[in-house]
Amino acid sequence: MTTTATTPPGLSRRAFSGLIAGAAVLGAPTLRAQSGNRVVLGQSAAFTGAAAQLGIQFHAGAKLFFEQLNAKGGVNQTQIELRQLDDGYEPARCVENTRKLLDDEVFALFGYIGTPTSLVALPLATQAQTPFFAPFTGAMGLRQPFNRMAFHMRASYNDETALIVRQLTNLGLKKIAVFHQNDAYGKAGLDGVTLALGALGLKPVATATVERNTVDVAEAVKTINAAQPDAVVQISAYTSCAAYIRAARKAGFGGTFFNVSFVGTQALADELGKEGAGVVVSQVVPSPYKASSAVTREFLALIAQGGNKVQPNFSSMEGFMAAKLFAEGMRRASGGRPTRDGLISGLESIRNYAMGGFDVSFSGSNHVASKYVELSMLTGDGRVRT
């Protein structure tokens, strides 16, 4: 299969071409990062900055699963190590991290956080023929065209925004505005809302942006409030979304706020406190607060056992489930010493698999495991109702 690399947002064509060339020089990997019965996964994510809680919590959930798996002997007698590097949710830093990880020939890249960072990392992973597993993003640009190296556990932003628009219009709320991050993530969410509204003969009544890793929302509030929308769909990180909600309400907006899952539900609730009451967030994994599914019960049981002091929330739950799904792919891989082709074949053999009540499927032509989406609502006491 041939994959065409396009210049990701936030990187010059010259810089990007140099990075791709650097990745190509890696050539056929010799799995230098692997030793004995051990594979190393590499994760570049935000562990500091405005999106830090997303990276911290996702990593903690994944580590929780891998640690208990390794304590039982690993998978096929192989231990799994998760190596982390901080990119602060900035593409240029993510590229540096990814090149470091690929130069050390990690077995796979795992759990990258965000669209703009994942978009610059995936072409590098593709050139190095290294699997890129479970990025914390629903952007269609990472899913189309099909890429043999990319595996997605979560539903897309198109799936999330379709449910949000359906919910709003079913309630008779048709004047919908979009507040979004001024980057690839924000555009992906805006495209999803526009597509869903277009199917109903509607379009956003207003749109406005905020720069990544900032909370300068004054102009966005002014622009959107002037359109007097019934609701605002937010496509940004928790710090800027919280700032927007406070500022919009202070300026007189009395409508509702909807967010996609990437916002970081518990992080948003923590930021807003009592001001979060009524804010809606779409979710792509089962609730970590209700033990109604087997995977949630497993997650909560490990936390109760001491579980690395993991906070149960949607971000840590997604990290836990991503690790569990990765391990299932490893378990199904044939042969002795782990190989990337073996991992890919193992993952592609996962069909209609009820992962503790969360149904997932891959195939040789489909690397998106789930289209699961549900809605949750923040309460006034910092909790999440699902």
Side-chain angles (χ1 to χ4, degrees):
M1 176 201 148
T2 301
T3 301
T4 302
T6 57
T7 305
L11 223 59
S12 70
R13 183 174 295 276
R14 177 180 296 177
F16 183 65
S17 297
L19 294 168
I20 289 297
V25 169
L26 290 172
T30 58
L31 298 184
R32 192 169 64 224
Q34 323 313 318
S35 62
N37 294 325
R38 177 179 69 105
V39 298
V40 179
L41 310 184
Q43 181 188 28
S44 178
F47 296 106
T48 58
Q53 283 303 311
L54 304 181
I56 291 169
Q57 296 300 327
F58 187 102
H59 180 86
K63 189 175 180 182
L64 175 69
F65 180 86
F66 286 139
E67 284 183 344
Q68 63 86 29
L69 179 70
N70 290 338
K72 296 176 181 178
V75 55
N76 298 339
Q77 288 76 54
T78 299
Q79 302 276 298
I80 301 175
E81 176 187 332
L82 180 57
R83 185 177 301 170
Q84 66 187 106
L85 293 174
D86 180 24
D87 59 36
Y89 193 37
E90 289 294 348
R93 290 174 62 186
C94 180
V95 164
E96 292 177 7
N97 290 347
T98 303
R99 292 188 68 181
K100 288 177 183 176
L101 293 167
L102 292 174
D103 187 56
D104 200 27
E105 289 155 2
V106 295
F107 185 66
L109 299 177
F110 175 93
Y112 275 46
I113 304 296
T115 302
T117 45
S118 294
L119 279 172
V120 296
L122 180 56
L124 299 175
T126 303
Q127 288 288 332
Q129 292 295 285
T130 300
F132 188 77
F133 188 82
F136 191 83
T137 166
M140 295 304 297
L142 291 158
R143 298 154 185 253
Q144 296 176 350
F146 174 82
N147 185 325
R148 183 172 180 262
M149 292 299 119
F151 287 84
H152 303 271
M153 184 180 76
R154 57 168 27 232
S156 72
Y157 291 143
N158 282 10
D159 296 322
E160 293 189 64
T161 53
L163 178 60
I164 288 171
V165 168
R166 185 163 66 249
Q167 175 75 3
L168 286 169
T169 54
N170 284 346
L171 294 172
L173 306 178
K174 297 182 179 181
K175 294 181 64 178
I176 299 170
V178 182
F179 165 72
H180 65 96
Q181 208 161 272
N182 187 25
D183 63 7
Y185 162 47
K187 186 178 185 304
L190 173 62
D191 288 347
V193 175
T194 302
L195 181 67
L197 286 172
L200 301 173
L202 303 171
K203 61 182 181 180
V205 296
T207 65
T209 64
V210 64
E211 295 304 313
R212 183 177 56 250
N213 285 336
T214 73
V215 292
D216 186 7
V217 298
E219 285 302 313
V221 168
K222 183 178 178 181
T223 297
I224 290 178
N225 275 17
Q228 299 182 322
D230 298 320
V232 178
V233 179
Q234 300 183 288
I235 316 291
S236 193
Y238 58 91
T239 49
S240 52
C241 286
Y244 182 90
I245 289 169
R246 290 195 188 96
R249 285 176 172 165
K250 186 176 181 180
F253 178 69
T256 60
F257 298 95
F258 279 67
N259 293 261
V260 295
S261 59
F262 182 81
V263 72
T265 309
Q266 191 60 55
L268 181 63
D270 293 343
E271 284 280 327
L272 287 171
K274 64 181 181 181
E275 296 175 283
V279 174
V280 178
V281 185
S282 55
Q283 308 296 347
V284 294
V285 295
S287 172
Y289 309 113
K290 296 190 304 185
S292 55
S293 66
V295 71
T296 300
R297 292 193 293 274
E298 179 186 358
F299 176 57
L300 296 177
L302 286 175
I303 292 176
Q305 291 169 17
N308 201 29
K309 297 182 180 178
V310 177
Q311 180 186 17
N313 57 48
F314 282 100
S315 300
S316 58
M317 178 79 168
E318 185 166 344
F320 179 85
M321 293 176 63
K324 185 177 178 69
L325 183 57
F326 181 89
E328 180 63 21
M330 284 279 291
R331 187 185 69 79
R332 294 172 181 236
S334 59
R337 182 174 173 82
T339 67
R340 292 172 180 145
D341 280 341
L343 170 65
I344 291 170
S345 296
L347 288 168
E348 289 180 342
S349 75
I350 297 174
R351 310 286 175 88
N352 302 314
Y353 174 52
M355 192 173 67
F358 181 77
D359 293 340
V360 291
S361 286
F362 287 126
S363 73
S365 59
N366 172 45
H367 284 187
V368 178
S370 169
K371 294 177 74 66
Y372 175 97
V373 186
E374 66 174 8
L375 297 178
S376 64
M377 181 179 290
L378 307 190
T379 64
D381 56 1
R383 294 186 298 174
V384 182
R385 188 169 75 238
T386 55

